[in-house]
Amino acid sequence: AQTVTQSQPEMSVQEAETVTLSCTYDTSESDYYLFWYKQPPSRQMILVIRQEAYKQQNATENRFSVNFQKAAKSFSLKISDSQLGDAAMYFCAYRSPQGGFQKLVFGTGTRLLVSP
Amino acid sequence: EAGVAQSPRYKIIEKRQSVAFWCNPISGHATLYWYQQILGQGPKLLIQFQNNGVVDDSQLPKDRFSAERLKGVDSTLKIQPAKLEDSAVYLCASILGPGSKTQYFGPGTRLLVL
């Protein structure tokens, strides 16, 4: 079974600075998807960024980018120019591409604190 | 487009009582998921529907939890009887179909069992 590990329970960053959230995963599959989801306090979970394992190029979405190291099974999220609105729980998630069992396997999350 | 809707947003019950949650996925989304998110943990899949059929319910505690999606649209998740350890946020998510990549989540129902 696939597992996802987020070793940083909490991270802090100042506005305008850069922060990196770590994620490692374990799988025997060669093709899969990886996601970072953001969950603000008492608000719904929204997708931040997605990476397909077959793509070597790291995904980027505005201030958010990933460092995908397939051999190391590492998938970190970099947030540049941090804003107060970035404060939230961030979850790393894994999904197999095949078949109908497309459930997401989540890590335990990293709480990001952003200070002025 | 409207997002995934869930109700109620909050529910407080005593142990051994029953409770039901409702989810309305994004229009046209064939696949629907229920996740349980216990405080301090990531969401864990309880059950997955494809249209009105169950695809995966291996993690659903079937002695107390049940779910249905009768017409392949709305879904309800029921707990009867509730236990203290059922206190969690119950998230509903939907996806267009098997070839789609991204799940869209509802705001969740926060359940507290006293």
Side-chain angles (χ1 to χ4, degrees), chain A residues 37 44 50 52 95 100 102, chain B residues 48 98 100-103 105:
Chain A
Y37 277 88
Q44 66 195 84
R50 180 184 68 224
E52 286 93 336
R95 204 205 87 184
Q102 297 169 333
Chain B
Q48 176 186 350
S100 301
K101 299 173 183 176
T102 301
Q103 291 185 21
F105 285 81

Side-chain angles (χ1 to χ4, degrees), chain A residues 24-42:
Chain A
T24 59
Y25 57 94
D26 187 30
T27 184
S28 58
E29 297 175 317
S30 59
D31 195 17
Y32 45 86
Y33 298 108
L34 295 166
F35 304 82
W36 279 99
Y37 277 88
K38 171 185 177 182
Q39 188 176 42
S42 300

Side-chain angles (χ1 to χ4, degrees), chain B residues 4-8 20-25 34 73-77 92 109:
Chain B
V4 177
Q6 289 188 248
S7 68
F21 312 129
W22 174 82
C23 172
N24 181 239
W34 282 102
V73 181
D74 294 5
S75 177
T76 56
L77 176 69
C92 180
T109 295

